């Protein structure tokens, strides 16, 4: 994509529509739109001249609001923040409207390019074979980094359409509506609210994109739609309503309610489609069946008669209609019917695959109470003294659980009821509706067997096999290193082995990028995850288990985000590649999968990355022993450097008292608390990855996305291995992706905004440490990659980031003005605190994947 194309389609359009926007009077301060560009240029010039945020804002006040009271001045700052938030929305809409012009939809990574390439290389049969047992699952999470309420999302959709059509009148009206519509939730959303807001994407985007991609692909490969067996080639996972980890508001009732909503919405989609199809299928032998289908769906939806109890019943009728169409009417309109049948096969009666997730420590606590009730407190003390293998046997020997009413701890009652909820969902939505239980903070085989046994004694009671997959989530650096040994113990356990056989010998393992990075820093986390995948693949193949990796990735590179396609394309043959599973959250959902065109593009890229990884094994996907030793050394150096940083005496103080960390708990964007655990003090291990990474993003310091990269490259330089690092960058796609994603974090950093901390007695040395690593990392990344500027190889991303950072600069300055003023006063100020809170929304939304 040429630079000029982006310039014309996005940058210039933004300049035009922004000038229109700034002229609109939204509030009683009509001068806001006039004053904002002045403030923006004062910020830009001020930082260039090494002024502090306080000096910039104070200078602006003295010059333009000399006669106004402090209250009036602060009121204007609030208005400025609101204006900038809406500028961000305008820019998002312009960029989204130009998506097909700034991305090559038929280029590298698209289905069209893939099929052309395999046909050219006579690999079509190989491709079809791979597609028959491959899968990409995107799991939408309720993690709170998406700020826009539903009504604002609606305006954004309409605004994008108006921009596409160059409809100035509608753009004008929509900008006015945007100006008067509140952006902030008055109250924290409930888990059900979160689910409903994400179902919007299922109905409006995934329901359109997934069948479209599969239909195009199968048609290109001459595969009959109605015969295609692998309907799970592309699917959507769903965490709202099932993710209990550290969220006391997710209960068993919520799980069932969310599953009901998912089913209602997919049946609505089917009903709407069937009414359209029936207008064409007006023939004898076919129309009566389609009427029956329409009435059946109507009854399932509105009459509560549950006419169709499962997707198989619905498919049976549709196949009868198909048969009638072929036998009596030469297959007229068969294409439309086949596409609908494919949709039913893909989305079933569940729409999306829900998961339940809970922390391992909670299961430990539950088993303590079970043992206490069943065999007494003395037995519990004796149990705690046992070796792990004996503990495993002790738990697996239980043949029943106490009655729920016998539990004193209400939370434990709730945990057991969640297994009843799983059964209810499976009965109503089918097993696809919810068949996985994820154990976060998993540290032993016992942690897996605790949940396995709970499942057997609840869900699996009176059943031949347990219809539940137990998924360990390994997060910290130590847990990732232990993961292969833990899984080998499980594979050797006769009872777990038998369970795996009943589940098609498939074991899903989840790996947490977010907490891995928080724990071990950027390079160490990414390298530990790749090595864990290789070892887990080896051990699983040894025991003839099909291992599937589920990556818990966040929006930004600091939490495993960034360019995912390259990441998956870089996995060599040592990593099992039957499925790509990944979490998508926050603004990444709306930015990358928020519209059918961007959703299809990104899904195709992921699908092709996984497929090509197997069909085309290029040298840059395998690492030799020397290359591994080089990355190992970098990982060790950066890990030590990051650990020393975390142990700095000011580290926790800085997070708690300088960054906006504490305010994350007050923004009404998600139902989850700020941290796990109930302790009042800040404990690093209890802190969630989102507020941790988000705080650094608010400060424009982005520590988790690069800290230690510069130190590692410097160590190689000191040892005379820098040429080898350059060679590694050219030869390894994994290494290039790793450093490329780090460049994104650096491109979104702006240390000038916090340079005032150099003069702060308490934090000067700490700030200097961060700043020096930031400068060193940029310098060495450019040198190792041979680039002149960051992201030189990705001009679209570079320009997008630059414009976004420019738009949001006044808000960054206002936030730092408030933080600096309070630090200097040595006390909190309610107005300034409110100002900090208010600025957080714009800063995160502008970055699109900042937390």
């Amino acid at each position: 994509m040429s630079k000029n194309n982006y310039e014309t389609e996005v940058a210039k359009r933004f300049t035009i529509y922004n000038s229109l926007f700034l002229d609109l009077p939204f509030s009683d301060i009509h001068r806001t739109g006039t004053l904002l560009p002045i403030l923006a240029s004062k910020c830009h010039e001020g930082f260039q001249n090494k002024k502090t945020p306080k000096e910039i804002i104070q200078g602006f006040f003295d010059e333009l609001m000399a006669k106004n009271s402090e209250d009036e001045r602060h009121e204007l700052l609030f208005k400025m923040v609101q204006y900038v938030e809406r500028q961000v929305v305008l820019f998002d809409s312009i960029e989204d409207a130009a998506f097909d012009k700034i991305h090559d939809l038929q280029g590298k990574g698209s289905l069209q390019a893939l099929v052309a390439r395999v046909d050219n290389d006579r690999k079509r049969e190989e491709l079809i074979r791979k597609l028959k047992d491959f899968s990409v699952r995107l799991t939408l999470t309720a993690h709170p980094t998406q700020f826009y309420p539903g009504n604002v999302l609606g305006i954004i959709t309409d605004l994008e359409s108006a921009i596409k059509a160059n409809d100035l009148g509608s753009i004008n009206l929509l900008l006015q509506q945007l100006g008067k519509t509140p952006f902030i939730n008055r109250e924290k959303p409930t888990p059900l609210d979160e689910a409903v807001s994400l179902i919007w994407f299922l109905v409006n985007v995934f329901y359109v994109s997934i069948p479209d991609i599969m239909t195009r692909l199968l048609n290109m490969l001459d595969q009959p739609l109605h015969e295609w067996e692998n309907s799970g080639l592309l699917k959507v996972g769903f965490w709202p309503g099932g993710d209990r980890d550290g969220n006391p508001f997710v209960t068993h009732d919520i799980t069932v309610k969310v599953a009901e909503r998912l089913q209602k919405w997919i049946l609505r989609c089917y009903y709407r489609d069937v009414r359209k199809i029936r207008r064409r299928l007006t023939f004898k032998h076919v129309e009566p069946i389609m009427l029956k289908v329409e009435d059946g769906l109507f009854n399932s939806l509105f009459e509560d008669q549950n006419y169709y109890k499962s997707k198989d019943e619905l498919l049976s009728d549709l196949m009868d209609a198909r048969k009638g169409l072929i036998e009596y009417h030469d297959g007229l309109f068969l294409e439309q019917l086949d596409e609908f049948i494919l949709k039913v096969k893909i989305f079933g009666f569940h729409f999306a695959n829900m998961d339940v997730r809970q922390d391992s420590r909670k299961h430990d606590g539950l088993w303590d109470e079970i043992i206490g009730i069943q065999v007494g407190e003395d037995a519990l003390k004796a149990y705690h003294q046992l070796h792990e293998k004996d503990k495993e046997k002790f738990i697996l020997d239980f043949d029943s659980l106490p009655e729920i009413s016998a539990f004193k701890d209400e939370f434990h009652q709730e945990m057991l009821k969640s297994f009843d909820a799983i059964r209810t969902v499976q009965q109503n939505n089918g097993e696809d509706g919810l068949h996985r239980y994820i154990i976060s903070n998993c540290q032993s085989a016992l942690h897996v067997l605790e949940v396995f046994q709970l499942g057997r004694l609840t869900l699996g009671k009176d059943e031949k096999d347990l219809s539940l997959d137990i998924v360990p989530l390994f997060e910290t650096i130590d847990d990732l290193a232990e993961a292969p040994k833990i899984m080998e113990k499980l594979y050797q356990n006769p009872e777990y082995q038998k369970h795996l056989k009943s589940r098609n010998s498939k074991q899903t393992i989840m790996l947490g990028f977010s907490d891995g990075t928080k724990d071990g820093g950027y390079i160490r986390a990414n390298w530990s995850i790749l090595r864990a995948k290789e070892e887990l693949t080896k051990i699983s193949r040894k025991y003839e288990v099909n291992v599937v990796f589920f990556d818990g990735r966040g929006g930004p590179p600091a939490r495993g985000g960034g360019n995912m396609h390259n990441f998956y394309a870089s996995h060599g043959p040592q990593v099992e590649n039957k499925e790509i599973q990944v979490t998508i959250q926050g603004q990444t959902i709306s930015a990358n999968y928020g519209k059918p065109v961007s959703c299809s593009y990104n899904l195709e890229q992921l699908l092709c990355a996984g497929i090509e990884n197997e069909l085309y094994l290029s040298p840059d996907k395998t690492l030799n022993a020397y290359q591994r030793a080089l990355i190992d050394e970098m990982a060790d150096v950066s890990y030590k450097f990051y650990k020393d940083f975390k142990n700095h005496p000011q580290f926790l103080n800085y997070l708690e008292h300088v960054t906006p960390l504490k305010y994350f708990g007050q923004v009404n964007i998600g139902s989850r608390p700020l941290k796990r655990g109930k302790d009042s003090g800040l404990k690093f291990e209890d802190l969630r990855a989102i507020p941790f990474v988000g705080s650094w993003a608010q400060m424009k310091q982005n520590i988790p996305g690069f800290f230690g990269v510069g130190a590692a490259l410097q160590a190689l330089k000191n040892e005379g291995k820098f040429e080898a690092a350059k060679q590694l960058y050219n030869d390894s796609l994994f290494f290039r992706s790793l450093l490329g994603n780090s460049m994104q974090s650096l491109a979104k950093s702006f240390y000038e905004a916090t340079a005032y901390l150099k003069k702060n007695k308490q934090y000067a040395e700490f700030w200097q440490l961060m700043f020096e690593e930031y400068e060193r990392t940029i310098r060495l990344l450019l040198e190792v990659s041979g680039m002149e500027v960051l992201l030189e190889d990705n001009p679209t991303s570079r320009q997008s980031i630059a414009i976004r950072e420019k738009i949001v600069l006044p808000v960054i300055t206002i936030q730092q003005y408030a933080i600096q003023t309070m630090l200097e006063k040595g006390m909190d100020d309610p107005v300034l605190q409110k100002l900090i809170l208010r600025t957080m929304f714009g800063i995160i939304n502008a970055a699109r994947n900042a937390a």
Side-chain angles (χ1 to χ4, degrees):
M1 199 275 316
S2 72
K3 181 173 186 252
N4 289 347
N5 205 8
Y6 189 90
E7 198 70 39
T8 313
E9 295 297 336
V10 180
K12 287 200 169 126
R13 277 177 185 238
F14 177 68
T15 308
I16 294 162
Y17 295 142
N18 188 40
S19 59
L20 172 75
F21 171 70
L22 290 172
D23 278 345
L24 296 172
F26 296 127
S27 63
D28 47 357
I29 302 182
H30 295 307
R31 293 167 61 212
T32 312
T34 323
L35 294 175
L36 182 56
I38 300 171
L39 176 61
S41 64
K42 293 260 177 234
C43 295
H44 182 68
E45 288 162 22
F47 286 124
Q48 275 189 329
N49 295 325
K50 307 227 174 329
K51 288 187 175 176
T52 70
K54 196 175 164 190
E55 285 167 343
I56 293 168
I57 299 293
Q58 213 56 60
F60 173 77
F61 285 154
D62 292 346
E63 195 175 321
L64 293 158
M65 299 187 74
K67 294 185 175 139
N68 296 67
S69 67
E70 194 173 4
D71 285 351
E72 286 170 327
R73 290 173 173 193
H74 283 146
E75 181 59 29
L76 178 72
L77 293 184
F78 279 107
K79 297 286 178 202
M80 295 282 194
V81 172
Q82 289 175 307
Y83 254 72
V84 172
E85 280 175 345
R86 284 153 180 81
Q87 280 181 307
V88 169
V89 169
L90 176 61
F91 185 71
D92 281 352
S93 301
I94 292 167
E95 206 171 57
D96 289 346
F99 192 90
D100 52 350
K101 303 228 175 60
I102 57 178
H103 293 87
D104 185 356
L105 302 188
Q106 266 84 52
K108 189 179 179 300
S110 69
L111 291 180
Q112 205 161 324
L114 175 68
V115 173
R117 186 180 178 190
V118 297
D119 280 350
N120 196 36
D121 299 338
R122 296 192 172 83
K123 288 191 172 200
R124 180 178 275 226
E125 288 309 310
E126 237 182 293
L127 171 61
I128 292 168
R129 256 200 318 278
K130 178 68 185 164
L131 287 169
K132 281 181 177 170
D133 73 344
F134 190 65
S135 172
V136 172
R137 182 197 296 219
L138 288 180
T139 294
L140 309 182
T141 77
H143 294 352
T145 57
Q146 170 57 269
F147 286 84
Y148 301 130
N151 52 5
V152 175
L153 283 173
I155 300 170
I156 292 170
T157 304
D158 295 341
L159 187 57
E160 188 194 329
S161 304
I163 289 166
K164 259 192 152 141
N166 276 323
D167 180 351
L168 215 55
S170 294
I171 293 167
N172 194 357
L173 284 169
L174 288 163
L175 289 174
Q176 289 190 55
Q177 185 187 355
L178 199 62
K180 290 177 177 292
T181 304
F183 269 38
I184 311 295
N185 292 315
R186 299 246 172 266
E187 292 164 2
K188 264 188 186 295
T190 65
L192 191 59
D193 295 333
E194 289 174 331
V196 169
S197 68
L198 284 185
I199 288 172
W200 186 93
F201 291 100
L202 290 178
V203 173
N204 293 289
V205 183
F206 290 98
Y207 184 74
V208 179
S209 283
I210 289 178
D212 170 60
I213 293 171
M214 284 186 63
T215 303
R216 279 190 288 117
L217 178 60
L218 295 173
N219 287 341
M220 276 189 245
L221 295 170
D222 304 315
Q223 298 293 303
L225 295 190
H226 71 288
E227 287 177 8
W228 185 252
E229 291 294 317
N230 183 14
S231 55
L233 180 63
L234 295 170
K235 48 190 171 187
V236 190
F238 204 76
W239 271 16
D243 181 7
R244 290 164 164 61
D245 179 16
N247 191 343
F249 307 112
V250 178
T251 61
H252 69 286
D253 287 340
I254 292 289
T255 305
V256 172
K257 277 182 186 154
V258 169
E260 282 169 359
R261 288 290 175 101
L262 285 166
Q263 187 179 89
K264 279 275 184 274
W265 273 106
I266 192 59
L267 292 179
R268 275 180 194 173
C269 291
Y270 291 162
Y271 180 65
R272 198 176 56 203
D273 277 2
V274 163
R275 292 195 64 177
K276 276 188 208 156
I277 294 168
R278 204 176 63 71
R279 288 167 65 180
R280 295 289 158 267
L281 304 184
T282 49
F283 324 128
K284 200 176 174 190
H285 302 297
V286 178
E287 188 175 40
I289 303 173
M290 292 310 290
L291 269 170
K292 181 189 170 195
V293 169
E294 187 182 329
D295 289 345
L297 287 168
F298 182 87
N299 289 342
S300 306
L301 264 174
F302 304 113
E303 301 293 317
D304 256 0
Q305 292 171 18
N306 270 338
Y307 192 93
Y308 285 118
K309 293 184 178 63
S310 70
K311 77 167 180 184
D312 293 332
E313 290 179 12
L314 174 57
L315 282 169
S316 171
D317 284 347
L318 291 170
M319 292 310 271
D320 283 348
R322 187 179 196 281
K323 197 171 153 209
L325 208 53
I326 292 167
E327 276 181 27
Y328 301 102
H329 306 287
D330 298 327
L332 189 59
F333 297 120
L334 186 63
E335 208 177 296
Q336 283 96 315
L337 185 60
D338 276 352
E339 284 176 20
F340 181 65
I341 289 170
L342 184 65
K343 279 182 176 175
V344 177
K345 285 182 176 176
I346 294 167
F347 298 110
F349 268 37
H350 61 283
F351 211 166
N353 310 91
M354 292 179 73
D355 292 331
V356 165
R357 181 170 77 129
Q358 184 54 278
D359 189 291
S360 63
R361 290 164 289 196
K362 302 296 181 193
H363 305 126
D364 290 340
L366 173 58
W367 272 104
D368 279 358
E369 189 167 5
I370 292 169
I371 294 165
I373 295 168
Q374 295 273 75
V375 258
E377 292 301 317
D378 291 342
L380 177 59
K381 280 178 192 153
Y383 168 77
H384 281 171
Q385 302 307 312
L386 295 175
H387 286 295
E388 190 181 324
K389 205 162 181 57
D390 297 324
K391 282 183 179 176
E392 290 168 12
K393 186 180 180 320
F394 188 86
I395 274 172
L396 291 175
D397 282 346
F398 270 72
D399 58 6
S400 67
L401 293 173
E403 289 295 316
I404 280 189
S405 54
F407 288 86
K408 289 194 174 68
D409 189 320
E410 281 181 26
F411 189 77
H412 292 159
Q413 292 184 3
E414 177 52 51
M415 283 174 76
L416 283 173
K417 285 177 187 169
S418 67
F419 286 92
D420 297 334
I422 294 170
R423 181 190 284 115
T424 305
V425 174
Q426 288 193 355
Q427 283 166 351
N428 296 339
N429 292 22
E431 196 184 303
D432 279 341
L434 203 177
H435 61 86
R436 301 200 304 195
Y437 194 117
I438 296 162
I439 307 161
S440 49
N441 195 42
C442 185
Q443 297 183 320
S444 64
L446 178 65
H447 281 156
V448 175
L449 294 173
E450 282 176 343
V451 175
F452 168 60
Q453 186 65 351
L454 288 171
R456 284 206 300 186
L457 298 176
T458 51
L459 194 61
K461 212 173 171 199
D462 311 322
E463 301 290 334
K464 189 165 111 15
D465 296 314
L466 172 63
S467 58
L468 189 69
D469 299 310
I470 319 295
V471 180
L473 165 51
F474 301 109
E475 301 180 82
T476 65
I477 303 303
D478 290 345
D479 294 345
L480 286 163
E482 284 299 306
K485 288 183 205 153
I486 291 170
M487 294 316 299
E488 183 159 35
K489 278 186 192 170
L490 288 166
Y491 295 156
Q492 288 171 341
N493 183 293
E495 293 183 60
Y496 193 74
Q497 219 173 52
K498 188 171 158 243
H499 167 65
L500 276 182
K501 282 211 173 81
S502 76
R503 306 298 291 167
N504 298 322
S505 296
K506 176 176 161 180
Q507 173 68 56
T508 304
I509 298 172
M510 191 171 178
L511 304 157
F513 280 80
S514 299
D515 283 286
T517 310
K518 181 187 142 215
D519 181 50
Y522 183 70
I523 299 182
R524 169 52 79 206
N526 280 275
W527 183 231
S528 293
I529 285 169
L530 182 67
R531 284 177 52 187
K533 281 184 176 181
E534 291 173 342
E535 290 303 313
L536 288 163
T537 299
K538 204 186 290 177
I539 213 84
S540 301
R541 284 173 181 168
K542 179 182 164 186
Y543 289 92
E544 296 179 350
V545 173
N546 300 312
V547 71
V548 169
F549 297 115
F550 177 17
D551 292 320
R553 298 166 73 93
R559 293 192 22 254
N563 187 324
M564 279 203 293
H565 322 136
N566 282 346
F567 171 80
Y568 284 109
S570 73
H571 285 174
Q574 297 100 322
V575 175
E576 198 61 77
N577 182 37
K578 280 270 170 63
E579 297 189 24
I580 286 176
Q581 295 198 13
V582 60
T583 55
I584 304 287
Q585 60 199 48
Q587 305 96 310
T588 314
I589 297 173
S590 51
N592 293 355
Y593 300 91
K595 306 287 180 311
V597 61
S598 56
C599 180
S600 294
Y601 174 81
N602 284 300
L603 271 175
E604 282 186 37
Q605 292 276 330
L606 265 183
L607 183 60
C608 292
I611 300 274
E612 286 191 357
N613 201 9
E614 197 140 311
L615 296 189
Y616 295 97
L617 188 62
S618 54
D620 67 352
K621 293 176 186 176
T622 48
L623 293 160
N624 62 36
Y626 180 69
Q627 291 171 323
R628 287 174 169 277
L630 217 52
I631 301 175
D632 244 340
E633 186 181 336
M634 287 182 69
D636 287 343
V637 171
S638 73
Y639 186 30
K640 184 181 182 314
F641 193 63
Y642 178 72
K643 267 171 79 170
D644 289 347
F645 177 64
K646 280 199 306 185
N647 291 329
H648 191 285
Q650 294 306 337
F651 181 80
L652 277 178
N653 283 337
Y654 184 83
L655 266 178
E656 197 168 5
H657 302 297
V658 182
T659 78
L661 175 73
K662 55 182 172 283
Y663 301 104
F664 271 85
Q666 295 169 43
V667 288
N668 293 326
I669 52 165
S671 64
R672 298 205 309 176
L674 180 67
K675 57 191 179 76
R676 297 175 175 97
K678 293 193 173 81
D679 297 348
S680 54
L682 179 63
K683 273 165 72 185
F684 182 75
E685 56 274 20
D686 286 341
L687 189 59
R688 289 196 171 280
I690 285 173
F692 175 70
V693 173
S695 300
W696 296 112
Q698 289 287 320
M699 299 293 286
K700 304 310 288 179
Q701 291 170 335
N702 289 333
I703 288 295
F706 76 86
F707 198 84
V709 175
L713 287 169
Q714 186 64 55
L716 293 186
K717 200 162 209 187
N718 296 347
E719 291 169 31
K721 295 179 182 172
F722 202 71
E723 284 307 311
K726 283 183 181 177
Q727 197 60 48
L728 179 63
Y729 183 86
N730 290 327
D731 293 348
S732 163
L733 183 56
F734 169 77
F735 193 60
R736 272 200 307 283
S737 305
L738 188 69
L739 297 193
N741 285 341
S742 191
M743 284 187 192
Q744 268 198 43
S745 293
L746 289 159
K748 291 177 182 176
S749 301
F750 186 66
Y751 274 75
E752 290 91 328
T754 52
Y756 64 88
L757 289 165
K758 276 194 291 195
K759 297 201 172 106
N760 182 294
K761 275 190 194 140
Q762 190 174 353
Y763 300 112
E765 183 215 332
F766 186 70
W767 184 88
Q768 199 60 41
L769 176 66
M770 294 189 282
F771 180 59
E772 281 168 10
E773 177 62 0
Y774 159 76
E775 286 201 307
R776 173 167 65 178
T777 305
I778 291 178
R779 187 178 72 249
L780 293 174
L781 276 180
L782 293 178
E783 200 177 330
V784 83
S785 64
M787 293 184 198
E788 296 283 314
V789 289
L790 291 175
L791 301 175
E792 189 181 309
D793 57 341
N794 191 345
T796 302
S797 187
R798 192 174 85 245
Q799 278 185 285
S800 177
I801 290 169
I803 297 173
R804 289 172 181 282
E805 294 301 316
K806 192 178 170 190
I807 293 169
V808 87
L809 186 61
V811 177
I812 294 163
T813 313
I814 291 168
Q815 186 184 90
Q816 289 303 325
Y817 154 77
I819 291 172
Q820 184 187 357
T821 307
M822 286 201 298
L823 280 174
E824 286 175 7
K825 279 184 176 176
M827 57 188 279
D828 287 342
D829 176 316
V831 176
L832 294 176
Q833 282 184 316
K834 196 177 163 201
L835 202 51
I836 292 169
L837 200 60
R838 201 61 193 75
T839 55
M840 290 171 73
F841 300 88
I843 294 172
I844 282 220
N845 281 331
R848 272 203 161 178
N849 62 359

